[in-house]
Amino acid sequence: MKTKCFNIEKLIIGIVLGWLICFIFIPNLMIVITSFLTKDDANIISLVFTLDNYLKLLDPMYVKVLWHSFYMAAFATLFCLIIGYPFAYIIARMQIKFRFFMLFLVIVPFWTNSLIRTYGLKSVLGTHGLLNKFLLALSIIDKPLHIMYSEYAVMIGLVYILLPFMILPLFSSIEKLDNCYLEAAKDLGASRWQIFRRIVLPLTIPGIIGGCLLVLLPALGMFYVADLLGGAKNLLIGNVIKTQILNMRDWPFGSATSITLTLVMAFLLYIYWKISQKIHKKVEMEI
Amino acid sequence: MKKIINTIYLFMVYAFLYIPIIVLIVNSFNVSKFGQKWKGVTFKWYGELLDNDSLIQAAIHSLTIALISATCAALLGSLMAIALYRYRFKSKNFIKGLLFVVMMSPDITMAISLLAIFTLISIELGFFTLLIAHITFCLPFVVITVLARLSGFDIRMLEAAKDLGAKEWTILSKIIMPLAKTAIMSGWLLSFTLSLDDVIISSFVTGPSYEILPLKIYSMVRVGISPEINALATVMLVFSLLLVVISKWLVREKIR
Amino acid sequence: MKSTLIISQSKPQDPVVRIKGLSKNFDGKTIINHLDLDIYHSEFLTILGPSGCGKTTVLRTIAGLEIADEGSIILDGEDVTSVSAENRQVNTVFQSYALFPHMHVFDNVAFGLRMQGVSKEEIKTRVDEVLTMVQLSDFSYRFPHQLSGGQQQRVAIARAVVNKPKVLLLDESLSALDYKLRKQMQIELKRLQRKLGITFIFVTHDQEEALSMSDRIIVMRDGIIEQAGDPKSIYEEPKNLFVAKFIGEINIFDAKVLTRLDDLHILANVEGKKDVVFCPLEKNIQINDAIKVLLRPEDIRLEELKNSQDSNEIIGYVRERNYKGMTLDSVVQLENGKTIMVSEFFNEDDPDVDHSLNQKVAITWVNNWEVVLKDED
């Protein structure tokens, strides 16, 4: 009996470990190593150690692109937060039977591929598209807006694809909020706004940060949104990496850019961890 | 009053999310190729879709990958979750760390790392590389969902089973698996969604031998407007909705 | 924002809260049914009843956390029926305390004052004062999760009381505490209420708690008030079977009225034996009425009989006996199968009272301690 126990355990752990090492550990390790190597036209890479790839990123041209990418992603995250928070709040306070259906409706669009949806967005944002027609009809504007191939189009596209990733963590955090705190605040004389500012907001910060991370990080890499909606002038970091790896076959440089992106991500996660530690000390809630 | 504002706001957000899709669906019936003006109903784009073998092929490939990788991820992920929950072993934190890395990595980082290893072992880019990639990025989500469910188990129930003489395999198959079923199914559904939706990783790890939707559409869109895509979007949406309805119906039957 | 000026619009002998015709429905179910209640200044009032009787809803309606469907609530002369909670000068101590987890004790207690716009200096003075009153002045900068249940409770009370509300509402506030702490808090709450002089309205389902703490008790069932009165009258003179059964243990004897003997007594057939029963005229009992004779366990006296003995009194057999230190509690079964509970005190007249199992006994009671109710069946 004991040997069989032992075997199944070992088997499962073996499979699990094997898969993870093969397809996660080693590949990522390879990228880290490659980022310090040199490009070789014949063999893709040559084993010559160099820091050139990282230094190249400090070139003003690349800095500009990276900064612009970050700027677009950050704004997209902000808009997701502004749009998503009230939405998550309203749904979290609905009756249980409605709640999950409402969330389900948010997820359904994902069952057309994101690319297709971005394509659909393209026709809505165009000069003769639905948005302009709508705004012109209501006389809000008198000339069609040229949104396509601008950074705004990219931002709208990012928000469009990533909004659910902001809504879900927010919803989870807001739902956990015990109603008795809101009632206690009301009982003590707080107006709706004061309740929001002093009770709801502080207690949902974990959800806010979680949502921001789940939007910001992917946003930096979504090259297809930039491709379809942004044109050549509005690139995301993802586009840079894609071009380097797939088009120019410059693995070292592409790897370096990717590692830089990873470091940014690690840094943001570190901040998230630090903030949640601070809150954890105060509140002792699950994050 | 508050209710009205809330309803309007919800409606506006849903409108934002759905309008581009509705535009696609509507235009799939639009005579006008460019979709700028409504010129009448037609099914000809669906006809062109059916004629466009490569597009249909790509769509079927995407769906196939989604179904298979979701199932594999659900199985492998559940095993991982069970291992993390039940067994004590040295590499636990290592595994947790790796899963965390996968979940937090931007898609693009994962994409190139996978491409790197596939290149290294000289495997041809196609069905299997795609499958492996999709399973890998779906894993953490399944693990988290199932692990959350397992953590809610009363450990005494499992101890009782052991006390009554159940072997490890029995405990796994007769107690843990059935009770974790809903979590495993949500994990499956989530994986299916992520797989079907994926563009970035798929762009990197598949090859001409196994064309999938994102790349096919990409090339079509580059060239010009392709109304068959509208038809395709509609078909995919309907199909996925049908899948959900069927699975919900199946679950309901089981509860009875 | 609440006004800091507390101008009493009523005279001291007027009720501080007057509820008239209050009704509240949830999902078509009537929770409160045309309730009338007057609550007076500086009293400790307990609303007592089983789960679902509506007591918490009444409390929440006074607080303003629920708005009544019908009826009116007058707080200190002012009609507050449709005024929302944040504008009523009433504060609640919640069952789960609801201390804001992200604020320390000082900020929690100061919250209400901050909402009123009170000055920083005044806040410091008042918060320190109230924390001293609840003996938590050393804990000002701790967070709720660092406090014990009893400490959290006191913070919750401090947070409510610092605002000088006209009425303090407590919703089953002691139910989360262990027995000893609970008893301690009961005494402290009572002391606090006397010191502050504010009306406390306390909701509980624990009748022992109600009896020990209250100036007045309201017993509720299914949305209506069954009886209101001071603890003594509720305990000794229940107006109906529900109240009798809900408060303490009660023995119910079936009886039938034979004749009226005088203004205070009747002759009745109680469980088969003729007995004189205390039954004032006001009870409106007619001859041949079926009645219930109610007696508390401590009202009953048992007289041991030999097995061959008979008696004019009701006969029973001791089926269980429990030595309880102060009392000897027995379960006695009557000849017709009904069981009653008896509680006999040890005293200098009878230091060795004890019964053996199945001992035959004659059941009597202390004269005039019985309560008669019409048979409601």
Side-chain angles (χ1 to χ4, degrees):
Chain A
M1 205 193 299
K2 225 180 179 174
T3 21
K4 203 170 183 186
C5 228
F6 195 66
N7 275 345
I8 289 191
E9 250 190 69
K10 276 230 153 176
L11 187 66
I12 293 177
I13 296 175
I15 297 176
V16 163
L17 213 51
W19 188 284
L20 291 177
I21 291 181
C22 272
F23 300 116
I24 301 175
F25 184 64
I26 294 182
N28 279 298
L29 198 60
M30 286 173 67
I31 298 294
V32 174
I33 297 175
T34 311
S35 68
F36 291 110
L37 302 179
T38 328
K39 179 180 170 188
D40 185 303
D41 288 316
N43 295 326
I44 304 178
I45 48 166
S46 78
L47 297 169
V48 177
F49 179 86
T50 173
L51 287 172
D52 279 348
N53 303 307
Y54 288 97
L55 293 173
K56 209 166 164 187
L57 284 170
L58 295 174
D59 185 309
M61 177 181 79
Y62 283 111
V63 170
K64 199 165 156 219
V65 171
L66 296 179
W67 173 248
H68 190 58
S69 165
F70 188 79
Y71 166 88
M72 287 192 285
F75 263 91
T77 309
L78 188 64
F79 288 134
C80 276
L81 186 60
I82 295 176
I83 298 176
Y85 198 98
F87 186 85
Y89 192 82
I90 295 173
I91 295 196
R93 333 260 320 142
M94 282 174 113
Q95 284 182 304
I96 295 194
K97 50 185 171 173
F98 293 135
R99 263 184 239 172
F100 290 109
F101 180 66
M102 289 289 162
L103 283 179
F104 179 72
L105 284 182
V106 169
I107 304 212
V108 163
F110 275 86
W111 291 338
T112 43
N113 187 282
S114 296
L115 194 56
I116 298 182
R117 291 197 294 148
T118 315
Y119 172 67
L121 195 60
K122 200 171 159 165
S123 59
V124 171
L125 294 178
T127 332
H128 298 287
L130 213 63
L131 183 65
N132 275 318
K133 283 206 183 120
F134 181 70
L135 293 174
L136 282 168
L138 290 183
S139 303
I140 299 178
I141 50 170
D142 43 321
K143 262 191 307 193
L145 295 170
H146 292 279
I147 306 179
M148 279 302 296
Y149 304 117
S150 74
E151 59 185 17
Y152 302 109
V154 177
M155 285 190 236
I156 295 177
L158 290 174
V159 171
Y160 184 64
I161 304 287
L162 294 169
L163 189 58
F165 290 102
M166 175 64 78
I167 291 177
L168 291 175
L170 281 178
F171 170 80
S172 174
S173 191
I174 296 175
E175 203 195 14
K176 284 204 191 113
L177 202 57
D178 206 328
N179 199 45
C180 70
Y181 300 133
L182 308 182
E183 284 200 334
K186 201 173 171 191
D187 180 79
L188 291 163
S191 66
R192 290 245 300 270
W193 169 247
Q194 283 167 323
I195 295 181
F196 178 75
R197 202 188 121 208
R198 289 179 183 267
I199 311 288
V200 178
L201 207 56
L203 289 175
T204 53
I205 282 188
I208 294 176
I209 298 182
C212 285
L213 281 179
L214 281 182
V215 171
L216 185 61
L217 297 173
L220 293 168
M222 286 193 150
F223 60 79
Y224 59 95
V225 173
D227 263 351
L228 287 181
L229 300 174
K233 289 203 183 137
N234 293 296
L235 298 178
L236 294 167
I237 300 180
N239 295 80
V240 174
I241 298 176
K242 172 170 173 273
T243 319
Q244 293 306 319
I245 303 268
L246 291 182
N247 302 29
M248 319 265 276
R249 302 210 173 267
D250 190 347
W251 277 86
F253 183 55
S255 304
T257 319
S258 174
I259 297 291
T260 312
L261 182 61
T262 310
L263 288 173
V264 170
M265 159 193 110
F267 178 66
L268 290 172
L269 280 173
Y270 177 72
I271 297 181
Y272 172 63
W273 184 68
K274 274 273 145 171
I275 295 184
S276 62
Q277 288 279 71
K278 206 172 157 210
I279 297 180
H280 197 76
K281 266 194 214 131
K282 271 192 190 179
V283 174
E284 270 209 9
M285 287 195 318
E286 275 175 24
I287 308 255
Chain B
M1 183 55 198
K2 192 167 93 168
K3 258 195 171 172
I4 300 176
I5 298 180
N6 285 352
T7 319
I8 294 180
Y9 187 78
L10 284 184
F11 184 73
M12 277 172 52
V13 176
Y14 281 121
F16 171 63
L17 288 175
Y18 278 88
I19 282 180
I21 300 179
I22 296 175
V23 166
L24 284 176
I25 298 177
V26 165
N27 274 335
S28 70
F29 298 108
N30 189 354
V31 170
S32 159
K33 187 175 183 196
F34 296 97
Q36 314 286 25
K37 285 204 180 89
W38 178 256
K39 284 206 185 129
V41 185
T42 177
F43 286 102
K44 78 172 172 194
W45 306 121
Y46 288 90
E48 292 219 8
L49 175 66
L50 288 172
D51 278 338
N52 194 334
D53 287 335
S54 55
L55 188 57
I56 298 229
Q57 197 55 291
I60 293 180
H61 285 170
S62 280
L63 271 162
T64 315
I65 287 282
L67 285 166
I68 299 180
S69 62
T71 314
C72 292
L75 274 162
L76 192 58
S78 306
L79 286 178
M80 277 193 201
I82 291 173
L84 287 171
Y85 173 68
R86 270 179 80 61
Y87 307 135
R88 292 203 179 96
F89 49 95
K90 285 187 219 137
S91 33
K92 223 180 201 179
N93 283 327
F94 181 63
I95 292 185
K96 280 189 180 169
L98 286 181
L99 286 171
F100 181 72
V101 164
V102 174
M103 218 173 62
M104 282 292 141
S105 294
D107 282 355
I108 190 123
T109 319
M110 258 208 89
I112 64 171
S113 68
L114 283 168
L115 184 59
I117 188 134
F118 292 147
T119 316
L120 186 71
I121 57 180
S122 301
I123 187 173
E124 192 195 321
L125 295 177
F127 176 73
F128 281 104
T129 51
L130 197 57
L131 190 63
I132 292 173
H134 278 228
I135 295 176
T136 311
F137 75 69
C138 289
L139 275 177
F141 296 98
V142 177
V143 173
I144 287 191
T145 316
V146 178
L147 200 56
R149 178 74 183 93
L150 291 177
S151 307
F153 271 7
D154 189 351
I155 193 125
R156 277 174 273 272
M157 167 183 62
L158 302 172
E159 286 176 349
K162 236 182 178 163
D163 180 71
L164 291 164
K167 296 179 201 165
E168 183 61 22
W169 173 245
T170 320
I171 293 184
L172 282 180
S173 57
K174 290 240 154 61
I175 302 182
I176 294 186
M177 282 292 202
L179 284 174
K181 222 181 351 185
T182 27
I184 299 179
M185 287 205 292
S186 338
W188 187 94
L189 204 58
L190 192 56
S191 303
F192 179 75
T193 310
L194 289 171
S195 171
L196 207 56
D197 190 58
D198 177 67
V199 175
I200 298 177
I201 297 184
S202 307
S203 316
F204 278 79
V205 300
T206 196
S209 64
Y210 199 80
E211 271 222 293
I212 45 158
L213 223 41
L215 299 178
K216 187 83 189 105
I217 296 175
Y218 232 139
S219 52
M220 287 170 77
V221 167
R222 284 273 172 71
V223 168
I225 306 283
S226 309
E228 307 97 273
I229 296 184
N230 300 332
L232 180 64
T234 315
V235 169
M236 283 187 76
L237 194 63
V238 170
F239 182 80
S240 308
L241 281 171
L242 257 156
L243 213 73
V244 171
V245 170
I246 292 177
S247 63
K248 279 219 143 175
W249 178 77
L250 282 173
V251 170
R252 204 166 290 153
E253 281 297 307
K254 279 209 166 142
I255 293 177
R256 248 183 251 145
Chain C
M1 245 176 58
K2 280 189 187 171
S3 148
T4 46
L5 281 175
I6 303 173
I7 300 176
S8 185
Q9 295 190 19
S10 63
K11 293 173 255 183
Q13 61 268 36
D14 284 348
V16 65
V17 177
R18 167 161 277 172
I19 301 175
K20 269 200 144 37
L22 184 70
S23 290
K24 181 81 188 158
N25 303 312
F26 282 121
D27 295 332
K29 199 168 165 223
T30 308
I31 303 293
I32 309 177
N33 202 344
H34 295 98
L35 196 115
D36 292 326
L37 180 59
D38 282 349
I39 303 172
Y40 300 97
H41 287 277
S42 304
E43 75 165 333
F44 196 116
L45 176 80
T46 300
I47 306 181
L48 177 66
S51 314
C53 69
K55 55 190 190 294
T56 301
T57 313
V58 170
L59 203 74
R60 287 168 63 86
T61 325
I62 301 175
L65 296 169
E66 305 280 358
I67 302 288
D69 292 333
E70 275 174 53
S72 70
I73 300 178
I74 315 249
L75 176 68
D76 205 15
E78 197 189 319
D79 188 336
V80 294
T81 319
S82 44
V83 173
S84 184
E86 62 266 26
N87 295 318
R88 291 196 201 187
Q89 280 170 306
V90 166
N91 288 116
T92 309
V93 178
F94 290 81
Q95 187 172 10
S96 62
Y97 317 138
L99 298 181
F100 305 127
H102 57 300
M103 298 184 197
H104 48 59
V105 168
F106 190 94
D107 281 346
N108 258 287
V109 177
F111 190 83
L113 298 176
R114 292 214 173 104
M115 293 301 111
Q116 290 173 40
V118 173
S119 76
K120 242 177 156 177
E121 301 81 43
E122 199 186 329
I123 290 183
K124 179 107 178 73
T125 325
R126 283 168 71 170
V127 172
D128 284 342
E129 191 189 330
V130 84
L131 282 177
T132 314
M133 217 194 302
V134 297
Q135 292 136 36
L136 284 176
S137 16
D138 292 335
F139 292 79
S140 299
Y141 295 99
R142 296 264 181 102
F143 283 87
H145 71 268
Q146 296 171 304
L147 303 173
S148 71
Q151 289 166 335
Q152 288 182 16
Q153 232 252 332
R154 283 184 269 156
V155 175
I157 294 173
R159 183 176 72 175
V161 155
V162 77
N163 302 293
K164 304 213 177 97
K166 292 192 176 160
V167 178
L168 186 69
L169 307 171
L170 300 111
D171 187 0
E172 308 230 33
S173 309
L174 303 183
S175 50
L177 303 174
D178 64 67
Y179 182 74
K180 210 167 169 207
L181 196 55
R182 209 168 163 166
K183 287 267 168 265
Q184 206 181 318
M185 282 307 300
Q186 283 169 10
I187 301 174
E188 273 191 46
L189 268 180
K190 189 77 185 153
R191 196 177 355 113
L192 191 67
Q193 190 264 337
R194 289 240 167 83
K195 183 168 178 187
L196 292 170
I198 307 177
T199 306
F200 275 29
I201 305 179
F202 188 79
V203 160
T204 181
H205 60 271
D206 184 331
Q207 33 98 349
E208 223 185 280
E209 200 163 69
L211 288 173
S212 65
M213 293 169 81
S214 331
D215 294 327
R216 204 159 57 109
I217 302 180
I218 310 283
V219 181
M220 273 186 75
R221 176 172 62 153
D222 292 337
I224 57 168
I225 297 179
E226 294 283 357
Q227 186 168 353
D230 63 286
K232 187 162 185 240
S233 48
I234 299 263
Y235 187 77
E236 292 182 5
E237 287 151 43
K239 286 209 180 114
N240 59 37
L241 271 180
F242 172 76
V243 176
K245 285 191 204 169
F246 195 78
I247 316 270
E249 296 289 348
I250 192 79
N251 295 305
I252 305 172
F253 292 98
D254 292 306
K256 193 160 163 213
V257 181
L258 294 172
T259 56
R260 175 156 284 283
L261 297 172
D262 57 43
D263 283 352
L264 295 174
H265 298 92
I266 57 171
L267 188 69
N269 183 323
V270 186
E271 300 287 351
K273 294 283 163 83
K274 286 200 191 137
D275 250 312
V276 177
V277 174
F278 178 77
C279 180
L281 270 176
E282 304 87 72
K283 296 259 176 179
N284 253 325
I285 302 291
Q286 312 300 327
I287 298 193
N288 283 329
D289 272 356
I291 55 171
K292 302 269 193 221
V293 179
L294 271 55
L295 282 154
R296 300 281 178 198
E298 62 272 16
D299 299 340
I300 296 186
R301 300 286 176 264
L302 298 177
E303 215 182 278
E304 290 196 351
L305 299 171
K306 292 208 202 43
N307 279 331
S308 50
Q309 262 182 295
D310 200 3
S311 167
N312 288 333
E313 310 295 345
I314 305 170
I315 292 181
Y317 297 88
V318 176
R319 295 300 182 209
E320 277 172 44
R321 51 168 288 288
N322 282 314
Y323 174 71
K324 283 256 175 87
M326 271 203 314
T327 60
L328 178 71
D329 290 351
S330 319
V331 176
V332 175
Q333 189 172 36
L334 307 181
E335 283 172 325
N336 61 18
K338 177 182 284 191
T339 54
I340 59 167
M341 316 209 33
V342 181
S343 194
E344 295 169 290
F345 284 88
F346 293 107
N347 54 38
E348 56 274 18
D349 297 331
D350 223 336
D352 296 319
V353 60
D354 196 358
H355 303 299
S356 22
L357 287 178
N358 300 321
Q359 168 73 47
K360 189 174 181 179
V361 287
I363 300 166
T364 57
W365 55 81
V366 180
N367 281 338
N368 301 340
W369 281 18
E370 65 274 29
V371 174
V372 167
L373 293 176
K374 273 206 178 125
D375 195 333
E376 287 161 19
D377 296 326

